[in-house]
Amino acid sequence: MAIYAWPLSLVSELEIAIKRFLSSHSGLEQTWELVNSDCSWAVLLRSRITRKNRFITHHIYSSIWYGVKQEMKIVMDNSTWVLSNGSSISLWSDRWCGSPLFLHSDASVLIEEHSVDRLLINGSWDFSRSATNIPASLQVRICSCTIPIVSRPDKRCWDNSPNG
């Protein structure tokens, strides 16, 4: 296996360019972009800072992650998923039908983490495929969520904005 060493001058120039970019945006804007953007920098960083679709809390070497990690709770607490195909939304821990479902589950319920799309069959809610025994009260709550007719990617919206 070959390893290519980048010239220090190039690495220094890249670090300067990244720092200029970071200083031109607020920490909250960077965090929002990191969570929602499909830009290559966001995809790359998300691959380093997520485990099982959850953001890590421990330290890694990254000048970007250090700055946005502090804003992550604000973004997560003030944004809600708009359901479409359900593939990007965590059934139990994401905000998509009010507060996260795990907050309303009985401690005896075994929570198996999976995405909302596992409950969608032919445009309808189907709880028979779930490995988790979802209580009737949560099934009623889930069924109150409208399933869009057209399947497209799920979208995260900022709660404190009239247009998301």
Side-chain angles (χ1 to χ4, degrees), residues 26-32 35 65-78 158:
S26 74
L28 192 62
E29 287 175 313
Q30 291 170 4
T31 306
W32 183 258
V35 170
W65 177 235
Y66 178 78
V68 299
K69 178 172 58 172
Q70 299 165 20
E71 306 288 343
M72 191 60 69
K73 182 171 176 28
I74 294 170
V75 168
M76 294 304 162
D77 289 348
N78 291 285
W158 186 250

Coordinates of all heavy atoms in Angstrom, one line a residue, residues 26-32 35 65-78 158:
S26 N -21.2 32.0 11.2 CA -21.3 31.8 12.6 C -21.3 30.3 12.9 O -21.5 29.5 12.1 CB -22.6 32.4 13.1 OG -23.7 31.6 12.7
G27 N -21.1 30.0 14.2 CA -21.0 28.6 14.6 C -22.4 27.9 14.4 O -22.4 26.7 14.0
L28 N -23.5 28.6 14.6 CA -24.8 28.0 14.4 C -25.0 27.7 12.9 O -25.6 26.7 12.5 CB -25.9 29.0 14.9 CG -27.3 28.3 15.0 CD1 -27.3 27.2 16.0 CD2 -28.3 29.4 15.4
E29 N -24.6 28.7 12.0 CA -24.7 28.4 10.6 C -23.9 27.2 10.1 O -24.4 26.4 9.3 CB -24.3 29.7 9.8 CG -25.2 30.8 9.8 CD -24.7 32.0 9.1 OE1 -23.5 32.4 9.3 OE2 -25.4 32.6 8.3
Q30 N -22.7 27.1 10.6 CA -21.8 26.0 10.3 C -22.5 24.7 10.7 O -22.4 23.7 10.0 CB -20.5 26.1 10.9 CG -19.6 27.2 10.4 CD -18.4 27.5 11.2 OE1 -18.1 26.8 12.1 NE2 -17.7 28.5 10.8
T31 N -23.0 24.7 11.9 CA -23.6 23.5 12.5 C -24.8 23.1 11.6 O -25.0 21.9 11.3 CB -24.1 23.7 14.0 OG1 -22.9 24.1 14.7 CG2 -24.6 22.4 14.6
W32 N -25.7 24.1 11.3 CA -26.8 23.8 10.4 C -26.4 23.2 9.1 O -27.0 22.2 8.6 CB -27.7 25.0 10.2 CG -28.9 24.8 9.4 CD1 -29.1 25.0 8.1 CD2 -30.1 24.2 9.9 NE1 -30.4 24.6 7.7 CE2 -31.0 24.1 8.8 CE3 -30.5 23.6 11.1 CZ2 -32.3 23.5 8.9 CZ3 -31.8 23.1 11.2 CH2 -32.7 23.1 10.1
V35 N -25.2 19.6 9.5 CA -26.2 18.6 9.8 C -27.1 18.4 8.5 O -27.5 17.2 8.3 CB -27.1 19.1 10.9 CG1 -28.4 18.3 11.0 CG2 -26.4 19.1 12.2
W65 N -15.1 20.4 13.9 CA -16.0 19.8 14.9 C -15.9 20.4 16.2 O -16.9 20.6 16.9 CB -15.6 18.3 15.0 CG -16.4 17.5 16.0 CD1 -15.9 16.8 17.1 CD2 -17.8 17.4 16.1 NE1 -16.9 16.3 17.8 CE2 -18.1 16.6 17.3 CE3 -18.9 18.0 15.4 CZ2 -19.4 16.3 17.7 CZ3 -20.2 17.7 15.8 CH2 -20.4 16.8 16.9
Y66 N -14.8 20.9 16.6 CA -14.6 21.6 17.9 C -15.6 22.8 18.0 O -16.2 23.0 19.0 CB -13.2 22.0 18.2 CG -13.0 22.7 19.5 CD1 -13.0 22.0 20.7 CD2 -12.9 24.1 19.5 CE1 -12.9 22.7 21.9 CE2 -12.8 24.8 20.7 CZ -12.8 24.0 21.9 OH -12.7 24.7 23.1
G67 N -15.6 23.5 16.9 CA -16.4 24.7 16.9 C -17.9 24.5 16.8 O -18.7 25.2 17.5
V68 N -18.3 23.5 16.1 CA -19.8 23.3 15.9 C -20.4 22.3 16.9 O -21.6 22.4 17.2 CB -20.1 22.7 14.5 CG1 -19.7 23.7 13.4 CG2 -19.5 21.4 14.2
K69 N -19.5 21.6 17.6 CA -20.0 20.6 18.6 C -20.8 21.3 19.7 O -21.8 20.8 20.2 CB -18.8 19.9 19.2 CG -19.2 18.9 20.3 CD -18.1 18.0 20.7 CE -16.9 18.8 21.3 NZ -15.9 17.9 21.9
Q70 N -20.4 22.5 20.0 CA -21.1 23.3 21.1 C -22.4 23.8 20.6 O -23.3 24.0 21.5 CB -20.2 24.5 21.5 CG -18.8 24.0 22.0 CD -17.8 25.1 22.1 OE1 -18.2 26.3 22.1 NE2 -16.6 24.8 22.2
E71 N -22.6 23.9 19.4 CA -23.9 24.4 18.8 C -24.9 23.3 18.5 O -26.1 23.5 18.2 CB -23.7 25.2 17.5 CG -22.7 26.4 17.7 CD -23.3 27.5 18.5 OE1 -24.5 27.6 18.7 OE2 -22.5 28.4 19.0
M72 N -24.4 22.0 18.5 CA -25.2 20.9 18.0 C -26.5 20.7 18.8 O -27.5 20.5 18.3 CB -24.4 19.6 18.1 CG -25.0 18.4 17.4 SD -25.3 18.7 15.7 CE -23.6 18.7 15.1
K73 N -26.4 20.9 20.1 CA -27.6 20.7 21.0 C -28.7 21.8 20.6 O -29.9 21.5 20.5 CB -27.3 20.8 22.4 CG -28.5 20.6 23.3 CD -28.2 20.5 24.8 CE -29.3 20.4 25.7 NZ -30.6 19.9 25.3
I74 N -28.3 23.0 20.3 CA -29.2 24.1 19.9 C -29.9 23.7 18.6 O -31.1 23.8 18.5 CB -28.5 25.4 19.8 CG1 -27.9 25.9 21.1 CG2 -29.4 26.5 19.1 CD1 -27.0 27.1 21.1
V75 N -29.1 23.2 17.6 CA -29.7 22.8 16.3 C -30.7 21.7 16.5 O -31.8 21.7 16.0 CB -28.6 22.5 15.3 CG1 -29.2 21.8 14.1 CG2 -27.8 23.7 14.9
M76 N -30.3 20.7 17.3 CA -31.1 19.5 17.5 C -32.4 19.8 18.2 O -33.5 19.3 17.9 CB -30.4 18.4 18.2 CG -29.3 17.8 17.3 SD -29.9 17.2 15.8 CE -28.4 17.1 14.8
D77 N -32.3 20.7 19.2 CA -33.4 21.1 20.1 C -34.4 22.0 19.3 O -35.5 22.2 19.8 CB -33.0 21.7 21.4 CG -32.4 20.7 22.3 OD1 -32.5 19.5 22.1 OD2 -31.8 21.1 23.3
N78 N -33.9 22.7 18.3 CA -34.7 23.7 17.6 C -35.1 23.4 16.2 O -35.4 24.2 15.4 CB -34.1 25.1 17.7 CG -34.0 25.6 19.1 OD1 -35.0 26.1 19.6 ND2 -32.9 25.5 19.8
W158 N -36.0 24.3 10.6 CA -35.7 25.1 11.8 C -37.1 25.6 12.4 O -37.9 26.2 11.7 CB -34.9 26.3 11.4 CG -34.4 27.1 12.6 CD1 -34.8 28.4 12.9 CD2 -33.4 26.8 13.6 NE1 -34.2 28.8 14.0 CE2 -33.3 27.9 14.5 CE3 -32.7 25.6 13.8 CZ2 -32.4 27.8 15.5 CZ3 -31.8 25.6 14.9 CH2 -31.7 26.7 15.7

